[in-house]
Amino acid sequence: MALDDQKRAFKYVGTTPNRPDGVDKVTGKAQYGADITAPGMLMGAVLRSPHPHARIVSIDTSAAEAMPGVRAVVTGKDFPAVEDQGFADIGETCMARDKVLYDGHPVAAIAATTPAIAKAAIRAIKVEYAPLPHVTDVDEAMLPDAPVVLEGRALEHVPAGMSQNVTNTCEFGHGDLEAGFTKADLILERSFKVGAAHQGYIEPNACMASYAADGRADLYCCTQGHFFVRAVCSALMGMEASQLRVTASEIGGGFGGKTTVFVEPVALMLSKKSGRPVKLVMTRDEVFKATGPTVHASVDCKIGMTKDGRITAGDMTLRYSGGAWPSGTIEMGAQAGFAAYDMPAVRTLGWTALTNRPKEISYRAPGAPQAVYAVESLIDEMCQQLGLDPVETRLKNAARKGTLSSYGVTFDDIGMVATLEAAKAHPHWSAPLGPNQGRGIAAGFWFNFGGNTCVSLNINADGTASVTEGNPDIGGSRASISLMAAEELGIPYDNIRTIVADTASLGYNDNTDGSRVTFAVGLATIKAARAAIKVMCDRAAAMWGIDAEAVEWIDGAAVPAGPNAGKFPPMSLAEIAAMSFQTGGPIAGHHEVNVDGAGVSFGVHICDVEVDPETGHTLVTRYTVAQDAGKAVHPTYVEGQMQGGAVQGIGWALNEEYIYGRDGRLQNAGFLDYRIPVASDLPKIDTVILEIPNPGHPYGVRGVGETPIVPPLAAVTNAVSRAIGKRMYQVPMSPPRIMTTIKGK
Amino acid sequence: MVKVRLWGTLRQWTDGQQDVDVEGQTFKQVLDNLSAAYPGLAPQIKRGVSLAVDGVIYRDAWFQPIAPGAEVVLMPFMKGG
């Protein structure tokens, strides 16, 4: 669906009305995953492996089953085998079968009448393990003699003779690397490490399942995609999708981390075996140990540059591990790494290896921050060595319309140059710095996606409208969707209510991910509204006794199209709706589509830090984000996405990391030891929203949710490196790591 | 005839060629003909791929027309967070 008109004047889109979920959330009425209850409900608890890698010899649940109040026990043997490998892998993350593959891997679950009984029963289960050698580091996992996590999972294009942990490889690029490096005046090659970060959502994963004796089931859960939950859970339970209705609760953050299931199939099986509703709520310890963080990464990056700052070639090798199961995230990182630049010669080579860690799941722009961190850090170091301005250098090399991207596609209209110019023009860029302070800048890129989407828009008899969509609202989408419906229908925002329907009420909707909802659901909403408008124009034409083609829709009313159509006063939406029962029945519009045409997005971040040379503590003193939103439908929400992504990236850059001991166990499974930034750690994040319309959306919308986490790792690194006068090559830059670099060790 | 640019890893299935010519006027026809002409690509195509046509990334869009002369780039199946 193409862009309508770049000069269109919007009435509602671009305004910032109050969020429709605000009152419920600030008054505590909003129902999150753990808030759902049912009569007779049992409480679930999960037994998890203390070993990073072990064979399960036996599980004795007899003592637990004999305890008063215990109603059901579940192990891996209760789940039928699943043919689909992707679903089977997800199922095994929820409940181990023959082997445990990471510290925290579930091995059994209990449903009991109280949480205390469930916990006591968990302790009564006896599991005999045969521990196996483990590996938790990607570089070690790729060594030929590394302990093998899973056998036989390498894709067909992985070269023979490598460790069986290596499951995937990919290569992207174009041009003559050797010739490119020959033209360079400076060639630098550096190695980087990126820790695995958790999405850090505040609401733990939670669900309530109710499996009836007739084989039908209801599941309530906090998720980014209840249709996907239905697909996975129905497959793992061996039931038909139509018999499982999934309802998404309000969601306390996801950021990609709730695009899969961890407890839902277990709760369903416990409910099936007990005949009672079962609630399962993860503790924070369980969330850290057993829900997916990002990949962790090891990167070698080499760039050639002329004295005046032209990049002549870039070559990068990425090694990612997404835990104990194969992961495709490497392909995203390998494509995104150099995408912001116009490169005559470029290559990215990616590898994925299995480690004894939990299964990775998406986190905003999965795979891109790790790769872009290396590129943007190295460019900054080269600018320092050559005495070049880092913004001007990036402008000189920036991708623009007509650039052959590093992943093979020729760019259309994009915002890389505009975001760089915005950063350059921002007062932040030229503000003075004090002692021990440094300023870093970095660019970032993300693809954005569309996907399967269904929207139903009903015109109510009182002249209001209801929009029914199927994507959990994690970033304000109900407001944005209502705004786009208001824009099309020509009625006030407050006259529209958008709800997120359950899986029985709409066709399949892809997850709320890929920065897709405002783009794709918005597009479907616009089409649904236009379908409803067509019906309303037909009704007006019938009432006027003129041809339907002679009626058009202007500012919320049907009007005769031109003088030859007849002289009739405009007939408002409310008037047409009020007569809908007499003129043919209820009025609605629908649209079902698999949307493509999402526009890529660029962002540029500026970061100031002050580093304490005595302790290595880093304080972010100023931070600015410039990003292309295509069209900001609700600018406050857009700003929130940009600020939120930046904050999460700052946390990753400075503090956040999964730390495994030599015993292969996670050492910091809690917010005290895995420290995310809080408000008092941060300055106000300033934002500059740019609007370079996406040709693939009627209003020009691009996704905004993921790009802002891409630049911060390098922006903060470049600021810290300049502040301390030495380069940092690993994130997070914890105080001990900074002190080690300062002391030159 | 459509020229399809492959990502580097897949060259091992196309005798080292990064650009291959196949018949096809739609997304699905191009992928089907790619699998037929280069069977080594079939497992990857079956697992899932995207096609970028003149800069727009399509996923699962079987009937998306592809004009002769269009820039067509085979990409992994793309997903986000």
Side-chain angles (χ1 to χ4, degrees):
Chain A
M1 190 175 185
L3 182 67
D4 278 353
D5 177 2
Q6 292 203 26
K7 293 177 181 169
R8 174 176 179 156
F10 291 99
K11 186 173 182 180
Y12 299 105
V13 165
T15 63
T16 56
N18 289 336
R19 54 193 300 166
D21 52 336
V23 171
D24 281 354
K25 287 181 174 172
V26 299
T27 58
K29 285 178 62 182
Q31 290 213 309
Y32 292 90
D35 293 326
I36 314 295
T37 60
M41 187 178 77
L42 304 173
M43 296 300 295
V46 175
L47 177 66
R48 297 177 182 279
S49 166
H51 301 285
H53 195 192
R55 196 169 311 286
I56 298 173
V57 178
S58 64
I59 303 176
D60 180 357
T61 61
S62 56
E65 289 178 78
M67 292 173 67
V70 171
R71 296 287 185 265
V73 180
V74 162
T75 69
K77 289 188 168 58
D78 288 297
F79 291 93
V82 179
E83 191 173 332
D84 182 283
Q85 187 65 63
F87 286 172
D89 286 351
I90 293 172
E92 208 169 342
T93 65
C94 298
M95 193 59 70
R97 288 181 180 273
D98 304 320
K99 279 209 309 184
V100 291
L101 299 173
Y102 61 91
D103 170 28
H105 197 163
V107 292
I110 295 278
T113 49
T114 70
I117 294 173
K119 285 181 186 172
I122 284 296
R123 288 193 290 272
I125 296 173
K126 296 182 181 68
V127 183
E128 185 182 350
Y129 297 99
L132 298 166
H134 64 270
V135 59
T136 57
D137 177 79
V138 64
D139 289 325
E140 294 174 11
M142 290 182 68
L143 297 173
D145 58 349
V148 175
V149 179
L150 288 176
E151 296 178 352
R153 297 302 301 271
L155 296 180
E156 68 282 352
H157 49 256
V158 173
M162 303 191 78
S163 163
Q164 288 200 67
N165 292 326
V166 179
T167 57
N168 196 5
T169 183
C170 58
E171 182 186 331
F172 298 89
H174 59 257
D176 185 336
L177 280 178
E178 191 177 340
F181 282 118
T182 302
K183 292 174 186 168
D185 297 307
L186 175 66
I187 299 171
L188 285 188
E189 184 170 9
R190 297 286 184 258
S191 295
F192 300 85
K193 286 258 191 181
V194 183
H198 195 270
Q199 295 80 358
Y201 39 79
I202 300 304
E203 182 200 16
N205 303 67
C207 70
M208 197 279 285
S210 180
Y211 196 103
D214 62 3
R216 289 181 297 172
D218 284 282
L219 176 65
Y220 303 84
C221 56
C222 61
T223 175
Q224 288 179 241
H226 43 310
F227 290 87
F228 183 73
V229 171
R230 182 186 64 176
V232 179
C233 289
S234 59
L236 295 179
M237 294 294 293
M239 57 192 298
E240 293 174 355
S242 61
Q243 301 308 304
L244 175 60
R245 183 178 65 162
V246 184
T247 304
S249 68
E250 289 288 349
I251 183 168
F255 315 109
K258 290 176 181 168
T259 55
T260 187
V261 297
F262 297 104
V263 289
E264 291 83 353
V266 179
L268 276 165
M269 191 57 79
L270 286 169
S271 178
K272 182 179 181 180
K273 291 187 77 172
S274 66
R276 303 264 290 270
V278 175
K279 181 189 288 192
L280 257 178
V281 182
M282 293 180 104
T283 64
R284 182 61 60 185
D285 181 84
E286 289 179 307
V287 170
F288 272 109
K289 282 185 173 170
T291 68
T294 64
V295 296
H296 72 284
S298 171
V299 184
D300 302 324
C301 188
K302 177 182 176 183
I303 293 177
M305 189 181 279
T306 60
K307 282 186 286 190
D308 63 351
R310 183 74 176 106
I311 297 173
T312 60
D315 190 9
M316 181 160 57
T317 299
L318 301 155
R319 294 170 293 275
Y320 286 6
S321 176
W325 287 270
S327 153
T329 300
I330 188 68
E331 293 162 351
M332 317 292 282
Q335 291 175 95
F338 284 110
Y341 298 106
D342 183 357
M343 314 235 337
V346 58
R347 180 180 68 167
T348 48
L349 180 60
W351 299 95
T352 297
L354 306 177
T355 53
N356 292 111
R357 294 182 180 225
K359 187 177 191 301
E360 168 236 357
I361 191 64
S362 301
Y363 184 20
R364 286 182 138 147
Q370 296 89 340
V372 170
Y373 156 65
V375 171
E376 292 293 315
S377 296
L378 191 50
I379 288 176
D380 195 67
E381 183 175 356
M382 299 181 84
C383 288
Q384 280 188 298
Q385 290 202 18
L386 292 170
L388 299 170
D389 180 281
V391 173
E392 296 296 344
T393 302
R394 284 174 172 81
L395 276 169
K396 184 169 283 185
N397 295 284
R400 58 198 77 211
K401 185 172 184 174
T403 293
L404 175 61
S405 70
S406 56
Y407 58 94
V409 168
T410 302
F411 284 131
D412 197 343
D413 285 318
I414 55 173
M416 177 61 180
V417 171
T419 48
L420 281 166
E421 293 284 8
K424 181 180 162 186
H426 196 282
H428 183 173
W429 183 241
S430 53
L433 290 167
N436 300 317
Q437 293 185 344
R439 176 168 298 141
I441 191 165
F445 159 88
W446 186 243
F447 302 92
N448 300 324
F449 302 111
N452 291 294
T453 309
C454 302
V455 168
S456 183
L457 186 151
N458 293 293
I459 304 295
N460 304 316
D462 66 352
T464 62
S466 305
V467 180
T468 306
E469 53 126 332
N471 276 94
D473 177 0
I474 52 175
S477 55
R478 280 169 291 192
S480 300
I481 298 310
S482 291
L483 281 168
M484 286 186 267
E487 192 71 46
E488 285 298 314
L489 296 173
I491 62 175
Y493 167 86
D494 289 336
N495 288 6
I496 298 171
R497 182 174 182 188
T498 297
I499 65 141
V500 179
D502 63 58
T503 54
S505 303
L506 279 176
Y508 191 91
N509 284 270
D510 281 338
N511 286 337
T512 297
D513 66 9
S515 302
R516 74 175 214 93
V517 174
T518 306
F519 166 71
V521 181
L523 183 147
T525 300
I526 291 167
K527 294 278 275 187
R530 290 179 183 177
I533 287 169
K534 172 72 171 61
V535 176
M536 290 189 283
C537 286
D538 290 349
R539 300 284 176 93
M543 285 187 272
W544 287 330
I546 64 176
D547 290 341
E549 291 73 28
V551 178
E552 59 185 348
W553 192 259
I554 297 175
D555 201 19
V559 296
N564 296 331
K567 289 188 176 179
F568 302 100
M571 188 178 293
S572 70
L573 181 148
E575 292 173 303
I576 298 170
M579 293 178 280
S580 59
F581 296 173
Q582 292 78 38
T583 58
I587 297 170
H590 307 270
H591 195 67
E592 294 80 28
V593 63
N594 188 354
V595 185
D596 288 305
V600 299
S601 171
F602 294 85
V604 173
H605 292 202
I606 310 170
C607 174
D608 288 359
V609 300
E610 183 170 322
V611 181
D612 184 334
E614 301 295 323
T615 65
H617 173 261
T618 299
L619 180 68
V620 177
T621 57
R622 190 170 181 179
Y623 203 99
T624 301
V625 178
Q627 188 178 320
D628 172 20
K631 177 66 191 173
V633 174
H634 190 300
T636 305
Y637 277 127
V638 171
E639 189 176 47
Q641 291 282 359
M642 292 160 66
Q643 292 168 325
V647 168
Q648 290 187 305
I650 290 168
W652 199 350
L654 292 176
N655 296 308
E656 297 182 37
E657 176 181 26
Y658 268 46
I659 299 171
Y660 282 88
R662 295 171 69 91
D663 59 0
R665 302 196 69 186
L666 184 62
Q667 303 295 299
N668 58 337
F671 277 138
L672 280 177
D673 296 319
Y674 180 102
R675 193 171 182 285
I676 62 174
V678 297
S680 57
D681 293 322
L682 297 159
K684 179 184 184 301
I685 309 291
D686 201 2
T687 58
V688 181
I689 301 173
L690 299 160
E691 294 187 328
I692 294 98
N694 169 21
H697 186 278
Y699 297 169
V701 170
R702 298 175 193 267
V704 294
E706 295 172 285
T707 302
I709 205 171
V710 181
L713 302 191
V716 181
T717 294
N718 295 340
V720 169
S721 298
R722 287 172 181 261
I724 66 174
K726 292 184 177 179
R727 298 299 308 186
M728 298 290 296
Y729 299 108
Q730 182 171 6
V731 289
M733 295 175 290
S734 59
R737 284 189 182 133
I738 289 177
M739 290 309 296
T740 299
T741 302
I742 288 175
K743 291 175 179 174
K745 292 179 182 174
Chain B
M1 195 68 83
V2 174
K3 186 182 294 296
V4 182
R5 186 176 306 149
L6 311 174
W7 73 88
T9 325
L10 305 182
R11 286 196 303 259
Q12 61 184 293
W13 311 116
T14 58
D15 301 324
Q17 300 174 80
Q18 187 148 12
D19 293 326
V20 296
D21 293 323
V22 293
E23 297 286 349
Q25 298 177 331
T26 65
F27 179 103
K28 187 171 189 302
Q29 288 171 3
V30 167
L31 292 184
D32 286 348
N33 291 338
L34 265 178
S35 292
Y38 304 98
L41 296 176
Q44 177 66 56
I45 290 173
K46 187 178 178 187
R47 276 195 299 275
V49 292
S50 309
L51 271 186
V53 181
D54 288 331
V56 178
I57 299 172
Y58 294 92
R59 308 184 298 177
D60 295 331
W62 278 14
F63 310 120
Q64 173 62 36
I66 298 177
E71 179 194 73
V72 180
V73 182
L74 190 72
M75 302 171 68
F77 189 84
M78 308 293 281
K79 65 170 189 173

